[in-house]
Amino acid sequence: MQPSSAVTVEVDLGRLRRNVEEIARLTGVEIYGVVKADGYGFGAQRVAEAIKDLVQGYYCFNLQEAAAAELWKRTGKPTLAMAPPGEGPSAEDYLEHGARPGVGTVQHAALLRKAHPILSVDTGMQRFAVTEKEIDAALKAGEIDEAFTHGTRVEHALTLRRMTEGRRLKLHAAGTALLEEPAAWLDAVRPGLAMYRGIARVSAPLAEARDSAGPAGYTGFLSPRHGVILCGYSNGLRAGPCVVNGRRTRILEVGMQSAFIELQAGDRVGDRVTLLGEDLGESELASAWNCGAHEVCVRMGAMGRRVYLE
Ligand SMILES: *Cc1c(COP(=O)(O)O)cnc(C)c1O
């Protein structure tokens, strides 16, 4: 996907902070702010800096992300970065970037011991994590004092606690899906989506607006008046709801680099079409697009030029 030069992505860093403060108030435990995938499309570096006093550290999918966003240099807070299978960074590489590797094999635990690894335990996901019978070997090999699991149900957190009982480990399991489950909070939470909800307004101006002369577009849609924005599926857009002049309307058809918008009398060239934001949220778009809210965030965040509101 490529960003469209016509699209503006306004990221409200104040709203981001309020979201994180709300999570802190609710759970009362440490927070690892998840900033993988360039902060869910909203810019890992700016997101991380905006919340640095509210979090214990960050979570990235890999070390390259933490290094690219200079998380250690800019915040002085550690990042938990997974060590995915295959040839990966060395312990020295992790240390250089103030990162701790999340290890999911005994071999990785041994190899990255000097970087103070965190153990990833499989409680059902069956990906990037040790099985129950490998736990003790991995803890020993990596001299590990902290373990986590990727939990989506409260049972996953409880299973992590049971599997590591008596080992005196710091434990965490909960992402956004488990923030309403006190039993899943353990010693820390790792929210991603919950930090980003409602922080962005994505919009593009109408490049054309006209009263329709009969069936229009690729499919011959019928609408008394329609407009065009310079953003299409190559920029990540899909058909669905949008907002024009404070009123709900629809993206009728999406082309490669432009899209047709249903308009009313009075809508003019230059009026902004809001694709995400105002009262149109990630969850509503996720339903319309038949995907998850995470996917809506990464598509929308990368759709245009980012502007940050403090
Ligand atoms: C992405 C991720 C999270 C955050 O997930 P959300 O649903 O966005 O809160 C937490 N933990 C791990 C291991 C992840 O990969």
Side-chain angles (χ1 to χ4, degrees), residues 194-266:
M195 304 200 304
Y196 300 106
R197 278 192 184 126
I199 71 166
R201 179 188 180 210
V202 179
S203 65
L206 286 169
E208 292 188 349
R210 74 182 77 217
D211 294 332
S212 311
Y218 296 96
T219 58
F221 64 77
L222 288 167
S223 167
R225 186 172 172 79
H226 71 265
V228 177
I229 56 171
L230 303 183
C231 175
Y233 55 75
S234 70
N235 314 113
L237 189 63
R238 293 180 180 171
C242 62
V243 180
V244 178
N245 293 322
R247 189 188 72 244
R248 272 312 168 93
T249 181
R250 294 185 293 156
I251 302 168
L252 294 161
E253 278 187 9
V254 179
M256 183 81 91
Q257 284 152 305
S258 66
F260 288 100
I261 312 293
E262 183 171 281
L263 298 181
Q264 283 187 2

Side-chain angles (χ1 to χ4, degrees), residues 4-259:
S4 160
S5 56
V7 172
T8 306
V9 179
E10 289 166 275
V11 180
D12 183 345
L13 297 173
R15 173 74 188 263
L16 169 76
R17 279 184 64 84
R18 290 195 294 281
N19 286 349
V20 177
E21 284 165 350
E22 182 58 38
I23 297 164
R25 245 194 317 275
L26 174 70
T27 66
V29 298
E30 288 180 356
I31 297 172
Y32 288 101
V34 177
V35 297
K36 66 189 179 194
D38 200 20
Y40 285 37
F42 301 122
Q45 190 170 90
R46 293 299 298 267
V47 164
E49 285 183 316
I51 60 172
K52 68 179 176 190
D53 58 318
L54 302 175
V55 298
Q56 172 70 17
Y58 306 99
Y59 174 92
C60 283
F61 183 67
N62 58 39
L63 181 62
Q64 287 89 327
E65 292 180 318
E70 303 183 321
L71 297 182
W72 178 241
K73 194 168 119 191
R74 287 169 182 273
T75 70
K77 298 263 169 143
T79 297
L80 163 54
M82 280 302 292
E87 276 303 297
S90 66
E92 287 70 28
D93 294 330
Y94 283 93
L95 288 167
E96 179 187 339
H97 294 289
R100 295 178 63 189
V103 293
T105 65
V106 177
Q107 186 197 2
H108 259 136
L111 200 67
L112 298 172
R113 180 180 52 80
K114 279 195 233 150
H116 200 187
I118 301 179
L119 186 64
S120 173
V121 177
D122 180 21
T123 57
M125 183 80 73
Q126 303 174 55
R127 184 191 64 190
F128 310 146
V130 295
T131 58
E132 183 169 15
K133 62 181 194 309
E134 297 168 310
I135 290 174
D136 283 313
L139 291 177
K140 185 152 180 278
E143 295 173 15
I144 289 171
D145 60 7
E146 183 168 340
F148 73 103
T149 194
H150 197 155
T152 54
R153 297 198 314 271
V154 70
E155 299 87 80
H156 294 142
L158 300 177
T159 300
L160 175 69
R161 212 171 57 184
R162 179 188 58 73
M163 285 181 173
T164 58
E165 200 144 36
R167 269 57 155 218
R168 296 160 163 269
L169 300 168
K170 175 173 168 181
L171 297 177
H172 39 102
T176 299
L178 294 179
L179 289 178
E180 303 294 332
E181 297 278 1
W185 297 339
L186 306 177
D187 301 312
V189 291
R190 297 186 314 270
L193 184 63
M195 304 200 304
Y196 300 106
R197 278 192 184 126
I199 71 166
R201 179 188 180 210
V202 179
S203 65
L206 286 169
E208 292 188 349
R210 74 182 77 217
D211 294 332
S212 311
Y218 296 96
T219 58
F221 64 77
L222 288 167
S223 167
R225 186 172 172 79
H226 71 265
V228 177
I229 56 171
L230 303 183
C231 175
Y233 55 75
S234 70
N235 314 113
L237 189 63
R238 293 180 180 171
C242 62
V243 180
V244 178
N245 293 322
R247 189 188 72 244
R248 272 312 168 93
T249 181
R250 294 185 293 156
I251 302 168
L252 294 161
E253 278 187 9
V254 179
M256 183 81 91
Q257 284 152 305
S258 66

